[in-house]
Tab-separated table of all heavy atoms in Angstrom:
chain	number	residue	atom	x	y	z
A	1	THR	N	0.813	-1.204	0.000
A	1	THR	CA	0.000	0.000	0.000
A	1	THR	C	0.852	1.262	0.000
A	1	THR	O	0.354	2.318	-0.314
A	1	THR	CB	-0.946	0.024	1.209
A	1	THR	OG1	-0.175	0.009	2.398
A	1	THR	CG2	-1.928	-1.123	1.171
A	2	ALA	N	2.109	1.139	0.355
A	2	ALA	CA	2.987	2.305	0.393
A	2	ALA	C	3.610	2.587	-0.968
A	2	ALA	O	4.243	3.612	-1.156
A	2	ALA	CB	4.080	2.107	1.427
A	3	GLY	N	3.444	1.680	-1.916
A	3	GLY	CA	4.000	1.876	-3.236
A	3	GLY	C	5.490	1.624	-3.321
A	3	GLY	O	6.139	2.070	-4.243
A	4	VAL	N	6.041	0.912	-2.348
A	4	VAL	CA	7.469	0.583	-2.342
A	4	VAL	C	7.626	-0.863	-2.776
A	4	VAL	O	7.023	-1.750	-2.185
A	4	VAL	CB	8.083	0.770	-0.936
A	4	VAL	CG1	9.546	0.390	-0.928
A	4	VAL	CG2	7.893	2.190	-0.450
A	5	PRO	N	8.418	-1.117	-3.834
A	5	PRO	CA	8.635	-2.501	-4.247
A	5	PRO	C	9.263	-3.316	-3.114
A	5	PRO	O	10.136	-2.808	-2.397
A	5	PRO	CB	9.610	-2.384	-5.421
A	5	PRO	CG	9.519	-0.975	-5.883
A	5	PRO	CD	9.138	-0.164	-4.684
A	6	PRO	N	8.822	-4.552	-2.919
A	6	PRO	CA	9.342	-5.372	-1.817
A	6	PRO	C	10.853	-5.515	-1.819
A	6	PRO	O	11.469	-5.563	-0.760
A	6	PRO	CB	8.673	-6.733	-2.019
A	6	PRO	CG	7.474	-6.458	-2.840
A	6	PRO	CD	7.799	-5.255	-3.677
A	7	LEU	N	11.458	-5.557	-2.988
A	7	LEU	CA	12.912	-5.728	-3.043
A	7	LEU	C	13.666	-4.468	-2.641
A	7	LEU	O	14.871	-4.512	-2.439
A	7	LEU	CB	13.335	-6.183	-4.438
A	7	LEU	CG	12.793	-7.557	-4.848
A	7	LEU	CD1	13.206	-7.879	-6.276
A	7	LEU	CD2	13.263	-8.635	-3.895
A	8	ARG	N	12.980	-3.356	-2.521
A	8	ARG	CA	13.627	-2.109	-2.107
A	8	ARG	C	13.688	-1.954	-0.592
A	8	ARG	O	14.341	-1.064	-0.081
A	8	ARG	CB	12.873	-0.906	-2.685
A	8	ARG	CG	12.902	-0.778	-4.180
A	8	ARG	CD	14.267	-0.376	-4.672
A	8	ARG	NE	14.774	0.725	-3.893
A	8	ARG	CZ	15.173	1.880	-4.349
A	8	ARG	NH1	15.137	2.099	-5.640
A	8	ARG	NH2	15.622	2.817	-3.561
A	9	LEU	N	12.967	-2.796	0.144
A	9	LEU	CA	12.971	-2.710	1.600
A	9	LEU	C	14.192	-3.420	2.162
A	9	LEU	O	14.506	-4.530	1.765
A	9	LEU	CB	11.723	-3.373	2.191
A	9	LEU	CG	10.411	-2.651	1.988
A	9	LEU	CD1	9.276	-3.493	2.517
A	9	LEU	CD2	10.434	-1.295	2.651
A	10	GLY	N	14.847	-2.784	3.081
A	10	GLY	CA	15.948	-3.422	3.783
A	10	GLY	C	15.395	-4.236	4.946
A	10	GLY	O	14.196	-4.259	5.218
A	11	PHE	N	16.284	-4.885	5.666
A	11	PHE	CA	15.867	-5.728	6.781
A	11	PHE	C	15.156	-4.914	7.852
A	11	PHE	O	14.066	-5.269	8.299
A	11	PHE	CB	17.087	-6.447	7.367
A	11	PHE	CG	16.747	-7.336	8.522
A	11	PHE	CD1	16.117	-8.545	8.316
A	11	PHE	CD2	17.047	-6.954	9.820
A	11	PHE	CE1	15.790	-9.375	9.377
A	11	PHE	CE2	16.725	-7.775	10.884
A	11	PHE	CZ	16.101	-8.988	10.664
A	12	THR	N	15.745	-3.795	8.268
A	12	THR	CA	15.122	-3.000	9.334
A	12	THR	C	13.827	-2.342	8.841
A	12	THR	O	12.883	-2.199	9.610
A	12	THR	CB	16.091	-1.939	9.885
A	12	THR	OG1	16.580	-1.149	8.811
A	12	THR	CG2	17.251	-2.589	10.614
A	13	GLY	N	13.773	-1.965	7.569
A	13	GLY	CA	12.533	-1.422	7.025
A	13	GLY	C	11.418	-2.455	7.029
A	13	GLY	O	10.270	-2.144	7.333
A	14	THR	N	11.785	-3.678	6.707
A	14	THR	CA	10.807	-4.770	6.727
A	14	THR	C	10.301	-5.011	8.144
A	14	THR	O	9.104	-5.197	8.362
A	14	THR	CB	11.435	-6.060	6.157
A	14	THR	OG1	11.883	-5.794	4.821
A	14	THR	CG2	10.430	-7.195	6.134
A	15	LEU	N	11.201	-4.992	9.116
A	15	LEU	CA	10.778	-5.154	10.512
A	15	LEU	C	9.804	-4.055	10.924
A	15	LEU	O	8.816	-4.316	11.608
A	15	LEU	CB	11.988	-5.142	11.445
A	15	LEU	CG	12.850	-6.391	11.446
A	15	LEU	CD1	14.030	-6.208	12.394
A	15	LEU	CD2	12.046	-7.610	11.856
A	16	ARG	N	10.080	-2.832	10.500
A	16	ARG	CA	9.187	-1.716	10.823
A	16	ARG	C	7.798	-1.942	10.248
A	16	ARG	O	6.782	-1.727	10.919
A	16	ARG	CB	9.763	-0.408	10.285
A	16	ARG	CG	10.361	0.437	11.362
A	16	ARG	CD	10.806	1.786	10.832
A	16	ARG	NE	12.267	1.764	10.889
A	16	ARG	CZ	13.078	1.926	9.877
A	16	ARG	NH1	12.616	2.187	8.678
A	16	ARG	NH2	14.380	1.865	10.030
A	17	VAL	N	7.737	-2.388	8.989
A	17	VAL	CA	6.446	-2.643	8.341
A	17	VAL	C	5.684	-3.731	9.089
A	17	VAL	O	4.492	-3.597	9.369
A	17	VAL	CB	6.656	-3.040	6.858
A	17	VAL	CG1	5.375	-3.564	6.238
A	17	VAL	CG2	7.194	-1.862	6.075
A	18	ILE	N	6.370	-4.805	9.437
A	18	ILE	CA	5.722	-5.920	10.139
A	18	ILE	C	5.235	-5.489	11.515
A	18	ILE	O	4.116	-5.799	11.917
A	18	ILE	CB	6.682	-7.121	10.237
A	18	ILE	CG1	6.911	-7.706	8.840
A	18	ILE	CG2	6.149	-8.188	11.185
A	18	ILE	CD1	8.011	-8.740	8.775
A	19	ARG	N	6.058	-4.745	12.238
A	19	ARG	CA	5.667	-4.294	13.582
A	19	ARG	C	4.449	-3.385	13.536
A	19	ARG	O	3.604	-3.415	14.425
A	19	ARG	CB	6.828	-3.594	14.272
A	19	ARG	CG	7.880	-4.562	14.720
A	19	ARG	CD	9.024	-3.854	15.401
A	19	ARG	NE	10.009	-4.825	15.869
A	19	ARG	CZ	11.299	-4.579	15.963
A	19	ARG	NH1	11.787	-3.396	15.650
A	19	ARG	NH2	12.116	-5.515	16.396
A	20	ARG	N	4.356	-2.557	12.498
A	20	ARG	CA	3.172	-1.695	12.380
A	20	ARG	C	1.927	-2.493	12.007
A	20	ARG	O	0.813	-2.111	12.348
A	20	ARG	CB	3.413	-0.611	11.328
A	20	ARG	CG	4.274	0.518	11.823
A	20	ARG	CD	4.191	1.706	10.894
A	20	ARG	NE	4.556	1.362	9.534
A	20	ARG	CZ	5.643	1.780	8.913
A	20	ARG	NH1	6.485	2.577	9.519
A	20	ARG	NH2	5.901	1.411	7.672
A	21	ALA	N	2.097	-3.606	11.280
A	21	ALA	CA	0.950	-4.395	10.812
A	21	ALA	C	0.416	-5.358	11.860
A	21	ALA	O	-0.748	-5.745	11.800
A	21	ALA	CB	1.339	-5.173	9.555
A	22	ILE	N	1.241	-5.750	12.822
A	22	ILE	CA	0.829	-6.764	13.800
A	22	ILE	C	-0.461	-6.391	14.536
A	22	ILE	O	-1.372	-7.224	14.616
A	22	ILE	CB	1.978	-7.082	14.774
A	22	ILE	CG1	3.037	-7.905	14.045
A	22	ILE	CG2	1.477	-7.840	16.003
A	22	ILE	CD1	4.297	-8.145	14.850
A	23	PRO	N	-0.614	-5.188	15.086
A	23	PRO	CA	-1.865	-4.884	15.801
A	23	PRO	C	-3.103	-5.031	14.922
A	23	PRO	O	-4.141	-5.497	15.377
A	23	PRO	CB	-1.683	-3.431	16.251
A	23	PRO	CG	-0.207	-3.241	16.306
A	23	PRO	CD	0.349	-4.096	15.195
A	24	LYS	N	-3.000	-4.655	13.648
A	24	LYS	CA	-4.137	-4.788	12.734
A	24	LYS	C	-4.526	-6.260	12.583
A	24	LYS	O	-5.695	-6.610	12.628
A	24	LYS	CB	-3.776	-4.195	11.380
A	24	LYS	CG	-4.842	-4.366	10.332
A	24	LYS	CD	-4.379	-3.829	8.992
A	24	LYS	CE	-5.364	-4.155	7.906
A	24	LYS	NZ	-4.877	-3.758	6.595
A	25	PHE	N	-3.539	-7.124	12.389
A	25	PHE	CA	-3.832	-8.540	12.205
A	25	PHE	C	-4.329	-9.194	13.483
A	25	PHE	O	-5.100	-10.142	13.441
A	25	PHE	CB	-2.602	-9.272	11.660
A	25	PHE	CG	-2.428	-9.076	10.180
A	25	PHE	CD1	-1.539	-8.132	9.695
A	25	PHE	CD2	-3.168	-9.808	9.279
A	25	PHE	CE1	-1.388	-7.935	8.334
A	25	PHE	CE2	-3.028	-9.625	7.921
A	25	PHE	CZ	-2.140	-8.678	7.445
A	26	GLN	N	-3.922	-8.686	14.639
A	26	GLN	CA	-4.397	-9.247	15.900
A	26	GLN	C	-5.881	-8.969	16.104
A	26	GLN	O	-6.557	-9.707	16.807
A	26	GLN	CB	-3.588	-8.677	17.070
A	26	GLN	CG	-2.198	-9.243	17.144
A	26	GLN	CD	-1.363	-8.604	18.242
A	26	GLN	OE1	-1.533	-7.435	18.567
A	26	GLN	NE2	-0.458	-9.365	18.799
A	27	ARG	N	-6.398	-7.900	15.504
A	27	ARG	CA	-7.813	-7.562	15.663
A	27	ARG	C	-8.712	-8.308	14.683
A	27	ARG	O	-9.928	-8.312	14.831
A	27	ARG	CB	-8.010	-6.055	15.472
A	27	ARG	CG	-7.450	-5.227	16.594
A	27	ARG	CD	-7.875	-3.770	16.459
A	27	ARG	NE	-7.438	-3.165	15.215
A	27	ARG	CZ	-6.298	-2.469	15.061
A	27	ARG	NH1	-5.492	-2.300	16.071
A	27	ARG	NH2	-5.992	-1.943	13.899
A	28	LEU	N	-8.152	-8.924	13.653
A	28	LEU	CA	-8.956	-9.606	12.629
A	28	LEU	C	-9.527	-10.919	13.135
A	28	LEU	O	-8.919	-11.607	13.947
A	28	LEU	CB	-8.095	-9.909	11.398
A	28	LEU	CG	-7.632	-8.734	10.554
A	28	LEU	CD1	-6.757	-9.240	9.416
A	28	LEU	CD2	-8.795	-7.943	10.011
A	29	GLN	N	-10.691	-11.230	12.641
A	29	GLN	CA	-11.269	-12.541	12.874
A	29	GLN	C	-10.645	-13.500	11.859
A	29	GLN	O	-10.233	-13.079	10.779
A	29	GLN	CB	-12.790	-12.500	12.675
A	29	GLN	CG	-13.502	-11.606	13.663
A	29	GLN	CD	-13.312	-12.071	15.093
A	29	GLN	OE1	-13.389	-13.254	15.388
A	29	GLN	NE2	-13.023	-11.132	15.979
A	30	PRO	N	-10.571	-14.804	12.155
A	30	PRO	CA	-9.914	-15.746	11.234
A	30	PRO	C	-10.434	-15.687	9.803
A	30	PRO	O	-9.661	-15.784	8.850
A	30	PRO	CB	-10.201	-17.106	11.859
A	30	PRO	CG	-10.364	-16.818	13.311
A	30	PRO	CD	-11.002	-15.451	13.380
A	31	GLU	N	-11.716	-15.465	9.611
A	31	GLU	CA	-12.262	-15.431	8.247
A	31	GLU	C	-11.914	-14.138	7.502
A	31	GLU	O	-12.128	-14.032	6.301
A	31	GLU	CB	-13.784	-15.634	8.257
A	31	GLU	CG	-14.553	-14.650	9.087
A	31	GLU	CD	-14.684	-15.040	10.558
A	31	GLU	OE1	-14.144	-16.082	10.965
A	31	GLU	OE2	-15.330	-14.287	11.297
A	32	GLU	N	-11.339	-13.159	8.182
A	32	GLU	CA	-10.961	-11.895	7.555
A	32	GLU	C	-9.510	-11.864	7.070
A	32	GLU	O	-9.103	-10.902	6.429
A	32	GLU	CB	-11.139	-10.738	8.540
A	32	GLU	CG	-12.570	-10.503	8.965
A	32	GLU	CD	-12.668	-9.394	9.973
A	32	GLU	OE1	-12.264	-9.593	11.129
A	32	GLU	OE2	-13.145	-8.306	9.592
A	33	PHE	N	-8.730	-12.889	7.383
A	33	PHE	CA	-7.322	-12.896	6.974
A	33	PHE	C	-7.240	-12.850	5.448
A	33	PHE	O	-7.899	-13.626	4.757
A	33	PHE	CB	-6.587	-14.126	7.498
A	33	PHE	CG	-6.252	-14.032	8.958
A	33	PHE	CD1	-6.839	-14.876	9.871
A	33	PHE	CD2	-5.339	-13.108	9.412
A	33	PHE	CE1	-6.546	-14.792	11.215
A	33	PHE	CE2	-5.029	-13.008	10.751
A	33	PHE	CZ	-5.628	-13.854	11.654
A	34	PRO	N	-6.424	-11.947	4.901
A	34	PRO	CA	-6.400	-11.776	3.451
A	34	PRO	C	-5.715	-12.902	2.679
A	34	PRO	O	-5.999	-13.098	1.517
A	34	PRO	CB	-5.634	-10.463	3.267
A	34	PRO	CG	-4.816	-10.325	4.502
A	34	PRO	CD	-5.595	-10.997	5.593
A	35	PHE	N	-4.804	-13.648	3.297
A	35	PHE	CA	-4.025	-14.629	2.558
A	35	PHE	C	-4.330	-16.064	2.906
A	35	PHE	O	-3.894	-16.978	2.224
A	35	PHE	CB	-2.525	-14.381	2.780
A	35	PHE	CG	-2.112	-12.988	2.408
A	35	PHE	CD1	-1.679	-12.107	3.371
A	35	PHE	CD2	-2.176	-12.556	1.094
A	35	PHE	CE1	-1.300	-10.815	3.030
A	35	PHE	CE2	-1.791	-11.273	0.745
A	35	PHE	CZ	-1.361	-10.404	1.717
A	36	PHE	N	-5.045	-16.276	3.984
A	36	PHE	CA	-5.289	-17.633	4.453
A	36	PHE	C	-6.766	-17.836	4.682
A	36	PHE	O	-7.448	-16.949	5.171
A	36	PHE	CB	-4.553	-17.896	5.774
A	36	PHE	CG	-3.089	-17.629	5.692
A	36	PHE	CD1	-2.550	-16.467	6.226
A	36	PHE	CD2	-2.235	-18.520	5.077
A	36	PHE	CE1	-1.186	-16.210	6.143
A	36	PHE	CE2	-0.884	-18.279	5.001
A	36	PHE	CZ	-0.356	-17.116	5.533
A	37	SER	N	-7.238	-18.989	4.317
A	37	SER	CA	-8.608	-19.328	4.634
A	37	SER	C	-8.630	-20.682	5.307
A	37	SER	O	-8.070	-21.638	4.784
A	37	SER	CB	-9.486	-19.327	3.386
A	37	SER	OG	-8.988	-20.236	2.445
A	38	ILE	N	-9.206	-20.729	6.464
A	38	ILE	CA	-9.245	-21.963	7.246
A	38	ILE	C	-10.401	-22.817	6.749
A	38	ILE	O	-11.533	-22.361	6.672
A	38	ILE	CB	-9.395	-21.651	8.744
A	38	ILE	CG1	-8.190	-20.824	9.206
A	38	ILE	CG2	-9.534	-22.920	9.557
A	38	ILE	CD1	-8.308	-20.271	10.600
A	39	GLY	N	-10.093	-24.047	6.386
A	39	GLY	CA	-11.119	-24.980	5.971
A	39	GLY	C	-11.502	-24.896	4.503
A	39	GLY	O	-12.364	-25.623	4.053
A	40	SER	N	-10.920	-23.997	3.746
A	40	SER	CA	-11.238	-23.901	2.318
A	40	SER	C	-10.088	-24.475	1.505
A	40	SER	O	-8.929	-24.223	1.789
A	40	SER	CB	-11.432	-22.446	1.906
A	40	SER	OG	-12.528	-21.899	2.579
A	41	PRO	N	-10.414	-25.265	0.463
A	41	PRO	CA	-9.354	-25.834	-0.370
A	41	PRO	C	-8.696	-24.818	-1.256
A	41	PRO	O	-9.165	-23.785	-1.544
A	41	PRO	CB	-10.061	-26.891	-1.194
A	41	PRO	CG	-11.518	-26.646	-1.060
A	41	PRO	CD	-11.724	-25.748	0.112
């Protein structure tokens, strides 16, 4: 969403992105996860 290609992120930049995203994912219900679906083939 930031418009930065993944290969342009360094290690510490990636950690920053993940740390900012964790609270959002903790609030999601399992069926709201964008990449995983439980019980669906």
Side-chain angles (χ1 to χ4, degrees):
T1 61
V4 178
L7 296 177
R8 294 289 313 236
L9 289 175
F11 180 75
T12 54
T14 302
L15 286 178
R16 256 186 249 121
V17 169
I18 292 170
R19 286 180 178 150
R20 282 195 303 249
I22 287 173
K24 176 183 173 185
F25 280 99
Q26 287 176 328
R27 289 189 301 266
L28 291 178
Q29 296 298 317
E31 57 273 2
E32 296 178 288
F33 284 114
F35 304 114
F36 305 103
S37 58
I38 299 171
S40 297

